[in-house]
Amino acid sequence: MGDSVGDLLVLVIDLHPVWWADHSLTGVVQSSLVLSNAHLLQNPLNKLCVYGYMNTGVYKLYPTEEDLVAGESTAGKYEGFDVVNTTILMRLKDIMLECRDPEEHKQLDGSLLSGALIQALCHCNVMSKNLAIGNILNSRILVLKGSPDSRSQYMAIMNSIFAAQKNKVAIDSCVLGEDSTFLQQASEITGGTYMRVQDHGKLAQYMLGVFLMGVEFRKSFNTPPASKVDFRAACQCHSKMTDLGFVCSVCMSVYCGFRPICMTCNAHFKLPTALLKGKKVTGKRKLENGKS
Amino acid sequence: MGGGEKVKIRNIHEYIQKLPQTTQDRLYTHPATCLALFRSLTETAQQYVMRLLFIGQPFALNKLTSWAVNVREKANLDATKQLKSVRLWSVVKLDNGTDGVTLHPNFRKGLTTALCGGGMSWYGNHQLEPDKKPKTVEFLDSYAQERWECLLQYMVQGNSDSDKVSPDIANLLLQSGMINKHGSEHAITSTGFQFLLLNTSSQIWYFMLKYLDKCDTIGLNLTTCLAFIFQLSFSTLGKVYPIGSHATFVQHLRQIGLVYQRKHTSPWFYPTRHAIDFLSAGSNKSAERKEGFIVVETNFRIYAYTSNELDIALVALFAETLHRFEGFVVGHITRESVQMALQNGISAKQILDFLESHAHPQMLKCKPTIPPTITDQMYLWEMERSRLSTEEGVLYSQFLSDADFKVVHEYAQNIGCVQWSNVQKRLLVVNKKGHGDVKKYWKQYKKEHGE
Amino acid sequence: MDEEGDGYRWEGNYEKTWELIQETDGGLVDTTTTNAKREKRRLIQQRLSNVKLGVMRHVFLVLDQSVNMEDNDLKPSRFICLKRLSEQFILEFYDQNPISQIGVIVVKNGKGQKISELSSNINKHIANIKAQKACEGQFSLYNGLEIAFKTLSSMPSYASREIVIVAGSLTSVDPHPINDMLTQLAESNIRVSVIGLSAAVQIFSRVSAATGGTYNVMLDEQHLQELLRLQCAPPAATPTMEPSLVKMGFPPHVTEGPLSLCQCHVDDKSKAELTTHGFTCPTCASKYCEVPVECKICSLTLVCAPHLARSYHHLFPLAQFTETPTEELIDDSMVCGGCTKTFGNQKHVYRCETCNSYFCYTCDIFVHDMLHHCPGCESRPR
């Protein structure tokens, strides 16, 4: 008989300094803390793990190897929650102090969502493996994202999504900025919930109402409807979404028009027979070939 | 002999439900109570509370019913019933005339404070000097175990080793029906047996409930005690806390091993693991499972890997001990041993629950944990006892004529008290209740038809 | 020497298993180097790297349904066990190669019979395999290969053409010499792999060697499962496979469109119903319930982007981490780059050559088995 030993919630928070310079981080962090406390309250066996990520690295905020603080219930908060909250805030402060020059941040690529997801999945995996026989741990990851997607992480993110699907870890997404296709696909494939929150003031309310529940339990409550996920591919040459594409049979890269050599794997393609025979092709086709 | 009353453990919210309204209101001002009560709610109820928590004013009822996919579903109905029973959920009239729902204001404030802060410290503003010789977690664990086992040993063993257990506690055991006192000796009752087979958290919770029922007689305020218990269950192991105004109560808790105090007069105490874990029995959420030590085989052999006297005594309640080694005991579950346990008031289900909760990790690898032969056989042995049921009755025999017999028989049948009858032999058995009426009727009939 | 009366060798699966147990210095059982785990690491290390792969595959699964398959050395019978394992194989195959196609052929009574056409429809394949019941007659290698050959030879050349034969018999009844078939197969670049269930047979090993496939004979059920799983990984590309740009459609998923019938169930009266959701082909606007599928009207392959992404880890595999003893770590407080826990008393740690992070045993297996990306490399700015 599989005994459930509670739920594991992994919070992954985007800390990109340039994006947060225009938005208020404090309110969002407070809402996340309330969500973590509520999660730990629901069941004494529930577990929590928090990661913060930005474009310079991925940092584990909670739990830390040594106990950084001893909890106090001075403000009426339960001591256990106080330990968690203070640890997270202290670690956040350390990370923010290490931030480099803003100009340097603008030069670097986007936030390392792929690294954060991968570390979160490793954590879920290790926690499941360390259970006693017959116990099941339900894990899920909640991503709080603000800064836009960066296409260079596409492959790593897709692979982590498939690994999450195989390990039955749902990826929920709470997007604070623009819509993110990566997270839409992640939530759709792994069975999580995707939500975009425009009003950051009401964030705590939304998080408690939607993301506090476990995945199985969500079926009995009405959740925000699944957004229309764009499963099309973007072509390598223009990074444009396309309905119809040409796929290299060796390396699976997608192009919107014919090209003689693959950009990724340098495979040489045969020209289509129409061109070879010198047939008159339609003007549009010729123009395309001239461009590529 | 005989069933005795079944031990029923009330949930936290079932318990709070029965308290008077003013007590409830006072209780809800303590954040710890709100936390404990929240944890004992069902998942659906918890979700409703969380969604309503940060809304300041009453929320329209029709909008609330649209939250659930199927409002008529059992889980939703149970949740609303549960919330209403502890007065967390009250229906008020909104400005536009429709119904609105609001949370109990004290509860709302308490829970928000516990989650987010912004209130007062739970323990008052006592400044504590750090303990010069702090106690380790292992010491606290062994202390708690020793004290609690002392109590259980006192119950199991008939001879009065009563200097180990204080008179207050012994009195409480007597009053809650777990032991019977005969002069200076005491014997365990069937309720006591059932109590023994529960796991430690359930035992402590049941004991505390009985204590709270009686605490008015000892002169302690129910609200403060209850709030203190909840606060205790949310404390951290290994940390000191100030006693404040709960000196007497803390003494009692010290006797059963829920807290540790260096001396009677110390102003602070350490909570033990039992104090922190026992609330899980009240909230139906399981605490971390302790390692079990029992292996049951399909040939009805039972092996217990323990050298703890109490554990061995518990196993001996329903199984025949064959061999004892260092750290290893071999027993055999026989019909006689189980019948004896059943006679003492323990049910088969309790024995099986005990076996399952103390099952060795090796046994947990099999599905189901306990072999089906054992479970089925236990239930069969239990059912054997209910093959016969007895009822007192009165036998009417030696009717002089058939007509007389028929008249009496018909009358008894009309008032529905015939237990058995044999028309050829003119024998009739009537139950005790109807005997008076039948006798009166017969006398009247004889008089009427006169001798 | 085992005594004759004690049973067959394959029944002695659990003989002398205590010899596999190893003891640590303190006399306790060493659990980190049990046989199963060692096996797994070996298999992972066999994967190819820096070799051009044929990711788009057309595979025919040929199952032996002759009387030899009624033998019960695999419980309950070879054929029933094989049916079960084939289902698992098909599911895993589509998981790792979503844009490939499988077809199923059974050989009984000396004749081959195609029970499932080459397609991407998982459920149909599984249903057809389940429907096979009796085993009769003899196995025919030639006929089985011929049916597969007829279909595969007309497939485009950019995709790999493969046949996987699971044969339980030691004989074959063929109408024509096998060598003719061998030359035809080699010319058409069809790769034949054979998995034997009883003993090694010379003709099978010749067929696989001539076409560039593999030949294995199973030891027990678990080994058979592993052998089938090995076939899921894409093989190296043959020199004659020409790379080309394949036209594919990426249909949008419509959730609230007009009510219409889908093309996949248009022939099946029981399942056809008017629905609002589905995938619309970009060229001919016909609707399908699931992708990947080949459009019946304009024969355009319809896929969605994640399907292509599933094959990426074959093409860009993660390099193996080097195993170093824990004593050589620089300082004791180092944590695993994946789960950020200390290494405790593990004997070995695993180091990524690119980013110099160390990983524990669990994270190493997880990273190479499922993630295919190093956590250390991904957590550093590019």
Side-chain angles (χ1 to χ4, degrees):
Chain A
M1 213 182 65
D3 285 331
S4 170
V5 278
D7 284 1
L8 166 63
L9 173 65
V10 183
L11 267 178
V12 176
I13 307 181
D14 182 6
L15 297 172
H16 198 295
V18 178
W19 193 83
W20 281 112
D22 301 325
H23 303 83
S24 157
L25 180 61
T26 343
V28 171
V29 170
Q30 290 297 338
S31 310
S32 324
L33 291 181
V34 172
L35 177 69
S36 337
N37 293 347
H39 172 77
L40 289 173
L41 176 61
Q42 276 193 313
N43 189 333
L45 297 173
N46 277 355
K47 299 185 182 38
L48 176 75
C49 178
V50 184
Y51 286 94
Y53 70 98
M54 52 165 108
N55 47 7
T56 48
V58 177
Y59 308 94
K60 192 170 195 188
L61 299 177
Y62 180 83
T64 49
E65 278 300 315
E66 317 94 33
D67 294 323
L68 291 180
V69 287
E72 294 294 329
S73 68
T74 39
K77 202 191 282 193
Y78 165 45
E79 282 175 336
F81 297 158
D82 194 47
V83 175
V84 176
N85 296 354
T86 323
T87 319
I88 295 177
L89 290 173
M90 275 180 65
R91 287 281 295 143
L92 263 181
K93 203 172 74 173
D94 292 336
I95 294 166
M96 290 311 201
L97 287 175
E98 279 178 18
C99 262
R100 306 177 207 171
D101 183 27
E103 283 313 307
E104 220 184 311
H105 275 283
K106 283 195 185 131
Q107 303 252 337
L108 290 173
D109 217 356
S111 284
L112 292 168
L113 178 60
S114 51
L117 278 179
I118 288 178
Q119 284 203 23
L121 286 169
C122 284
H123 182 86
C124 294
N125 180 53
V126 165
M127 293 298 276
S128 318
K129 291 277 185 295
N130 284 345
L131 292 175
I133 305 158
N135 290 337
I136 307 174
L137 183 70
N138 298 316
S139 321
R140 61 184 196 274
I141 300 179
L142 171 60
V143 180
L144 276 170
K145 193 163 188 291
S147 49
D149 289 338
S150 82
R151 298 253 11 136
S152 53
Q153 293 168 18
Y154 178 69
M155 222 193 304
I157 294 183
M158 291 311 284
N159 276 331
S160 20
I161 295 174
F162 299 135
Q165 189 194 21
K166 268 193 229 153
N167 266 12
K168 299 202 180 40
V169 177
I171 299 182
D172 294 324
S173 335
C174 183
V175 170
L176 306 168
E178 295 164 358
D179 270 323
S180 155
T181 31
F182 288 167
L183 287 181
Q184 277 177 338
Q185 291 190 10
S187 298
E188 172 89 20
I189 294 177
T190 56
T193 312
Y194 175 87
M195 196 166 74
R196 185 176 171 203
V197 180
Q198 311 268 45
D199 184 356
H200 295 186
K202 300 212 178 79
L203 186 63
Q205 188 70 12
Y206 287 129
M207 290 221 271
L208 287 178
V210 178
F211 295 118
L212 184 61
M213 302 186 271
V215 180
E216 274 307 307
F217 189 62
R218 279 177 217 174
K219 296 185 187 150
S220 39
F221 269 81
N222 284 321
T223 41
S227 50
K228 192 162 156 231
V229 187
D230 197 351
F231 274 129
R232 297 178 300 172
C235 66
Q236 295 273 54
C237 31
H238 310 109
S239 299
K240 227 175 20 163
M241 297 303 233
T242 167
D243 262 355
L244 215 55
F246 291 87
V247 179
C248 167
S249 61
V250 176
C251 65
M252 303 284 125
S253 9
V254 182
Y255 301 102
C256 48
F258 179 77
R259 43 179 50 242
I261 303 183
C262 173
M263 277 173 16
T264 336
C265 64
N266 286 327
H268 293 261
F269 302 125
K270 251 189 344 198
L271 293 173
T273 39
L275 278 173
L276 271 178
K277 287 188 182 159
K279 252 187 173 161
K280 189 169 193 289
V281 293
T282 57
K284 201 172 169 199
R285 192 98 173 109
K286 218 172 174 179
L287 210 56
E288 258 180 21
N289 276 329
K291 253 197 231 163
S292 58
Chain B
M1 159 79 168
E5 70 173 43
K6 277 268 171 290
V7 163
K8 189 179 171 320
I9 302 183
R10 287 168 283 172
N11 260 333
I12 294 182
H13 69 264
E14 277 166 16
Y15 179 73
I16 293 187
Q17 197 173 332
K18 299 278 168 44
L19 296 176
Q21 289 200 356
T22 39
T23 324
Q24 284 179 349
D25 288 337
R26 266 208 306 272
L27 268 180
Y28 291 157
T29 53
H30 294 104
T33 323
C34 307
L35 288 181
L37 182 56
F38 181 81
R39 240 184 207 171
S40 75
L41 298 173
T42 58
E43 239 184 314
T44 324
Q46 282 180 346
Q47 186 54 225
Y48 279 127
V49 169
M50 270 299 161
R51 287 188 179 195
L52 288 173
L53 189 63
F54 289 107
I55 302 180
Q57 61 269 35
F59 191 72
L61 187 60
N62 46 7
K63 278 198 206 150
L64 197 135
T65 46
S66 71
W67 280 348
V69 170
N70 180 7
V71 163
R72 293 256 153 260
E73 214 184 344
K74 188 166 184 301
N76 283 313
L77 296 173
D78 284 344
T80 37
K81 208 168 72 167
Q82 200 178 50
L83 288 173
K84 281 191 186 141
S85 67
V86 278
R87 291 176 57 239
L88 284 184
W89 166 302
S90 27
V91 181
V92 297
K93 276 273 180 279
L94 291 178
D95 293 330
N96 55 3
T98 49
D99 284 335
V101 178
T102 176
L103 282 182
H104 193 289
N106 291 358
F107 179 81
R108 207 173 134 258
K109 191 149 163 276
L111 193 57
T112 326
T113 319
L115 280 181
C116 317
M120 294 207 318
S121 163
W122 287 9
Y123 302 101
N125 292 324
H126 300 248
Q127 283 302 330
L128 282 183
E129 278 151 23
D131 191 10
K132 294 183 197 69
K133 285 179 281 179
K135 294 293 174 195
T136 58
V137 173
E138 291 83 23
F139 172 81
L140 292 172
D141 279 346
S142 60
Y143 175 79
Q145 203 171 354
E146 182 235 317
R147 291 266 77 224
W148 188 248
E149 274 179 16
C150 192
L151 180 83
L152 295 181
Q153 292 276 31
Y154 175 77
M155 283 174 71
V156 171
Q157 269 140 13
N159 53 349
S160 57
D161 216 353
S162 52
D163 48 342
K164 285 234 183 99
V165 174
S166 80
D168 286 333
I169 305 294
N171 213 8
L172 185 60
L173 285 175
L174 185 63
Q175 282 180 341
S176 46
M178 291 202 267
I179 55 174
N180 275 331
K181 231 179 167 72
H182 308 294
S184 64
E185 300 258 322
H186 59 269
I188 190 167
T189 61
S190 75
T191 324
F193 269 123
Q194 293 176 47
F195 176 79
L196 280 179
L197 285 185
L198 298 169
N199 62 359
T200 319
S201 311
S202 309
Q203 284 173 341
I204 301 182
W205 174 241
Y206 183 75
F207 189 82
M208 288 313 302
L209 284 180
K210 294 288 175 199
Y211 180 92
L212 288 168
D213 285 339
K214 303 279 182 302
C215 75
D216 291 332
T217 54
I218 315 180
L220 294 169
N221 184 314
L222 175 62
T223 329
T224 28
C225 287
L226 201 49
F228 185 73
I229 292 179
F230 289 136
Q231 227 170 282
L232 197 60
S233 72
F234 282 102
S235 26
T236 330
L237 204 55
K239 214 172 146 207
V240 283
Y241 293 93
I243 289 193
S245 47
H246 304 106
T248 350
F249 190 42
V250 170
Q251 288 307 319
H252 288 149
L253 291 178
R254 184 183 181 212
Q255 283 159 9
I256 52 178
L258 287 195
V259 304
Y260 170 74
Q261 233 184 342
R262 184 81 62 75
K263 295 187 285 249
H264 282 278
T265 50
S266 312
W268 35 256
F269 65 90
Y270 288 90
T272 60
R273 195 180 291 274
H274 285 178
I276 296 172
D277 280 345
F278 83 91
L279 219 56
S280 63
S283 58
N284 285 344
K285 302 258 161 64
S286 54
E288 296 280 349
R289 202 202 173 98
K290 256 192 327 205
E291 179 135 320
F293 56 90
I294 295 186
V295 178
V296 184
E297 285 187 340
T298 50
N299 57 359
F300 289 88
R301 283 281 176 119
I302 180 166
Y303 303 98
Y305 289 85
T306 176
S307 39
N308 186 326
E309 287 291 337
L310 185 67
D311 289 333
I312 298 174
L314 286 178
V315 172
L317 280 179
F318 57 86
E320 205 183 295
T321 323
L322 290 177
H323 312 291
R324 275 193 67 163
F325 298 98
E326 175 85 26
F328 183 59
V329 175
V330 182
H332 199 189
I333 302 181
T334 60
R335 185 165 173 274
E336 289 81 24
S337 62
V338 173
Q339 290 284 5
M340 202 154 68
L342 292 171
Q343 257 182 12
N344 281 326
I346 310 176
S347 73
K349 184 160 190 325
Q350 280 168 337
I351 300 181
L352 292 169
D353 281 342
F354 174 78
L355 285 176
E356 184 142 359
S357 54
H358 290 95
H360 196 269
Q362 202 60 26
M363 281 205 37
L364 292 175
K365 285 189 197 160
C366 324
K367 297 178 181 10
T369 324
I370 304 186
T373 31
I374 310 282
T375 25
D376 289 341
Q377 191 61 66
M378 290 265 186
Y379 284 124
L380 282 173
W381 280 331
E382 192 182 31
M383 286 198 279
E384 266 181 17
R385 303 190 71 232
S386 51
R387 271 194 308 200
L388 297 175
S389 63
T390 56
E391 225 183 289
E392 264 199 63
V394 182
L395 174 67
Y396 285 72
S397 60
Q398 294 168 353
F399 285 93
L400 293 171
S401 71
D402 223 2
D404 290 342
F405 174 75
K406 265 211 193 96
V407 161
V408 178
H409 189 202
E410 228 176 274
Y411 178 72
Q413 260 177 346
N414 281 341
I415 59 176
C417 57
V418 175
Q419 278 186 342
W420 177 80
S421 63
N422 187 329
V423 182
Q424 280 93 8
K425 295 203 186 140
R426 293 190 218 146
L427 293 171
L428 178 67
V429 177
V430 170
N431 63 18
K432 221 172 165 175
K433 231 177 23 180
H435 167 60
D437 295 326
V438 177
K439 196 170 169 187
K440 245 192 292 185
Y441 177 79
W442 173 239
K443 284 216 171 91
Q444 211 179 358
Y445 178 79
K446 267 200 4 200
K447 236 192 293 185
E448 276 173 18
H449 293 89
E451 230 65 87
Chain C
M1 279 304 279
D2 17 311
E3 290 100 46
E4 291 299 316
D6 263 3
Y8 298 104
R9 190 80 190 134
W10 45 263
E11 278 173 351
N13 211 355
Y14 291 104
E15 236 178 55
K16 296 190 187 162
T17 45
W18 58 88
E19 286 179 3
L20 290 172
I21 299 176
Q22 314 213 320
E23 278 186 44
T24 60
D25 296 331
L28 299 171
V29 172
D30 188 4
T31 46
T32 53
T33 54
T34 45
N35 215 15
K37 290 189 180 170
R38 218 184 280 149
E39 204 58 52
K40 196 155 189 175
R41 286 198 61 79
R42 262 219 326 256
L43 276 174
I44 292 175
Q45 280 162 4
Q46 273 173 6
R47 301 256 172 93
L48 313 156
S49 60
N50 275 338
V51 174
K52 198 157 77 168
L53 297 175
V55 179
M56 290 166 134
R57 307 164 70 184
H58 295 301
V59 177
F60 261 111
L61 185 63
V62 178
L63 301 176
D64 181 0
Q65 205 176 347
S66 62
V67 288
N68 302 72
M69 295 299 278
E70 277 178 358
D71 211 358
N72 55 7
D73 58 347
L74 290 176
K75 311 279 181 239
S77 86
R78 278 182 183 175
F79 192 61
I80 296 178
C81 184
L82 182 60
K83 278 202 291 190
R84 192 168 27 100
L85 291 180
S86 313
E87 275 174 47
Q88 282 177 18
F89 166 71
I90 290 180
L91 288 170
E92 189 154 351
F93 182 85
Y94 278 116
D95 183 57
Q96 297 206 21
N97 312 278
I99 48 177
S100 311
Q101 297 182 331
I102 290 190
V104 185
I105 295 175
V106 292
V107 181
K108 59 180 172 184
N109 285 326
K111 287 192 289 232
Q113 191 190 346
K114 200 193 293 185
I115 56 172
S116 204
E117 292 283 347
L118 264 187
S119 74
S120 326
N121 195 335
I122 305 181
N123 296 326
K124 216 169 172 188
H125 291 320
I126 294 183
N128 287 334
I129 290 182
K130 273 203 178 128
Q132 300 302 311
K133 301 281 183 214
C135 300
E136 38 197 26
Q138 299 276 344
F139 177 65
S140 169
L141 182 62
Y142 187 93
N143 287 330
L145 286 176
E146 185 176 19
I147 297 194
F149 173 74
K150 274 195 203 137
T151 326
L152 282 180
S153 50
S154 54
M155 285 292 131
S157 63
Y158 53 76
S160 78
R161 303 163 178 172
E162 298 166 49
I163 303 178
V164 176
I165 306 179
V166 183
S169 59
L170 299 171
T171 57
S172 168
V173 283
D174 306 318
H176 302 286
I178 274 278
N179 287 323
D180 298 345
M181 178 51 70
L182 271 186
T183 29
Q184 280 183 318
L185 289 171
E187 271 166 19
S188 307
N189 305 311
I190 298 179
R191 191 170 175 273
V192 180
S193 301
V194 185
I195 299 178
L197 300 183
S198 357
V201 178
Q202 207 245 12
I203 184 63
F204 293 148
S205 87
R206 267 210 301 140
V207 166
S208 45
T211 53
T214 55
Y215 178 47
N216 292 298
V217 178
M218 69 141 200
L219 296 171
D220 54 29
E221 184 176 333
Q222 222 178 356
H223 190 213
L224 178 59
Q225 213 173 6
E226 290 297 326
L227 289 174
L228 279 173
R229 197 174 292 152
L230 279 176
Q231 296 294 330
C232 290
T238 56
T240 46
M241 265 170 58
E242 296 159 358
S244 66
L245 283 178
V246 185
K247 195 169 179 197
M248 287 195 188
F250 297 95
H253 186 199
V254 176
T255 36
E256 283 161 9
L259 280 176
S260 52
L261 279 176
C262 62
Q263 285 297 321
C264 28
H265 295 123
V266 75
D267 298 322
D268 188 353
K269 293 233 177 77
S270 56
K271 294 216 188 92
E273 48 182 29
L274 292 168
T275 51
T276 52
H277 57 86
F279 292 91
T280 358
C281 171
T283 35
C284 63
S286 41
K287 200 172 76 163
Y288 291 90
C289 299
E290 285 175 349
V291 284
V293 73
E294 192 172 321
C295 180
K296 288 186 191 170
I297 319 248
C298 57
S299 57
L300 179 67
T301 319
L302 300 174
V303 291
C304 56
H307 289 142
L308 293 180
R310 273 190 207 267
S311 319
Y312 285 160
H313 69 92
H314 293 300
L315 302 163
F316 307 102
L318 184 62
Q320 286 296 315
F321 293 164
T322 41
E323 198 176 34
T324 43
T326 323
E327 290 93 30
E328 287 179 22
L329 280 183
I330 305 171
D331 64 271
D332 280 331
S333 65
M334 284 191 83
V335 291
C336 167
C339 54
T340 58
K341 291 194 173 28
T342 47
F343 293 113
N345 50 3
Q346 282 189 29
K347 272 207 185 142
H348 297 281
V349 290
Y350 301 89
R351 188 168 72 92
C352 168
E353 302 291 336
T354 332
C355 60
N356 267 330
S357 336
Y358 291 89
F359 299 99
C360 61
Y361 181 71
T362 332
C363 286
D364 182 51
I365 294 252
F366 181 61
V367 164
H368 283 103
D369 222 6
M370 300 225 196
L371 273 178
H372 311 289
H373 283 270
C374 164
C377 301
E378 287 302 322
S379 307
R380 265 155 241 262
R382 288 156 212 272

